[in-house]
Amino acid sequence: AQSVTQPDIHITVSEGASLELRCNYSYGATPYLFWYVQSPGQGLQLLLKYFSGDTLVQGIKGFEAEFKRSQSSFNLRKPSVHWSDAAEYFCAVGPTNDYKLSFGAGTTVTVRA
Amino acid sequence: DSGVTQTPKHLITATGQRVTLRCSPRSGDLSVYWYQQSLDQGLQFLIQYYNGEERAKGNILERFSAQQFPDLHSELNLSSLELGDSALYFCASSVSGLADYEQYFGPGTRLTVT
């Protein structure tokens, strides 16, 4: 069975600084990988996804993620954080032969002025 | 706005009661997923329906059941409620039932069991 680990529970970053959120997955093959964001009181919104091909994936809101097979990682990055990026971020993995997404525990991002 | 609607937004009920949560998927989406988000368990997949049929089951309790109707809306029924069932319940939809199609999440229903 697949699993996802987000090692950082909470990250605080200054507005304008760069952000990197870590995600490690466990799966026997290359899974489908996703990053979702959840703003306070809102549902989850898909930021980006990786299925195959180019390992650097561009998403919405200026986010990108890089798939590294050797490290079983799919880290999310943003070069310059805005106050509106304060939210909870979830990494998810979906096996290619199954229907269920498994989510990490989430990383809460706080943006300070 | 993802296009997925969920009603009600908030629900407060007592232990032992039964509630029904409703979800309307995005237009054209055939698959509906239900998730439970709680502080101690995180975001857990409950069940998936595709075009009216159950496709996959996750960590869904026997006290919970779901169905998808011919118009593709779905209902999640929670019975014999316990305090621990208090959580945010999300519905998501996708075009297909496979993981290669992204899921679009509704705003959730917050259930409080007192």
Side-chain angles (χ1 to χ4, degrees), chain A:
Chain A
Q2 71 275 15
S3 66
V4 181
T5 302
Q6 293 181 246
D8 305 305
I9 296 174
H10 191 194
I11 286 180
T12 299
V13 61
S14 298
E15 192 168 14
S18 63
L19 173 69
E20 181 168 12
L21 304 182
R22 296 183 290 165
C23 172
N24 294 98
Y25 68 90
S26 173
Y27 183 60
T30 300
Y32 297 138
L33 295 160
F34 306 82
W35 274 101
Y36 283 86
V37 61
Q38 183 180 24
S39 298
Q42 303 293 318
L44 279 74
Q45 181 183 21
L46 180 69
L47 284 175
L48 47 78
K49 60 186 183 289
Y50 174 78
F51 293 158
S52 63
D54 193 346
T55 56
L56 187 61
V57 180
Q58 301 298 319
I60 62 171
K61 304 186 179 188
F63 284 92
E64 66 178 25
E66 186 172 12
F67 169 62
K68 292 186 177 180
R69 186 192 309 272
S70 61
Q71 299 176 17
S72 297
S73 69
F74 189 57
N75 294 348
L76 181 72
R77 297 192 294 255
K78 184 167 185 178
S80 178
V81 169
H82 187 261
W83 63 267
S84 60
D85 293 322
E88 189 160 18
Y89 293 80
F90 293 91
C91 181
V93 58
T96 56
N97 62 347
D98 203 336
Y99 315 103
K100 298 177 284 190
L101 283 181
S102 294
F103 285 84
T107 298
T108 300
V109 173
T110 298
V111 180
R112 61 180 174 223

Side-chain angles (χ1 to χ4, degrees), chain B residues 9 23 28 75 87:
Chain B
K9 285 188 178 179
C23 168
E75 293 180 356

Side-chain angles (χ1 to χ4, degrees), chain B residues 6 21-23 32-35 45-47 74 76 90-91:
Chain B
Q6 290 187 249
L21 313 184
R22 183 188 168 102
C23 168
V32 169
Y33 308 76
W34 286 98
Y35 293 87
F45 166 75
L46 295 179
I47 197 165
S74 178
L76 179 67
F90 287 109
C91 167

Side-chain angles (χ1 to χ4, degrees), chain B residues 21-87:
Chain B
L21 313 184
R22 183 188 168 102
C23 168
S24 293
R26 294 188 321 154
S27 177
D29 284 359
L30 298 178
S31 201
V32 169
Y33 308 76
W34 286 98
Y35 293 87
Q36 180 193 58
Q37 185 179 38
S38 61
L39 284 176
D40 54 345
Q41 296 287 330
L43 194 58
Q44 299 276 324
F45 166 75
L46 295 179
I47 197 165
Q48 179 206 2
Y49 278 82
Y50 177 74
N51 205 20
E53 294 188 3
E54 183 183 303
R55 176 67 67 89
K57 257 185 177 179
N59 303 320
I60 188 166
L61 300 172
E62 286 190 10
R63 300 183 285 109
F64 296 180
S65 65
Q67 54 184 326
Q68 186 178 28
F69 295 86
D71 67 353
L72 299 177
H73 90 271
S74 178
E75 293 180 356
L76 179 67
N77 300 295
L78 315 176
S79 61
S80 302
L81 285 168
E82 302 175 358
L83 295 178
D85 298 327
S86 296

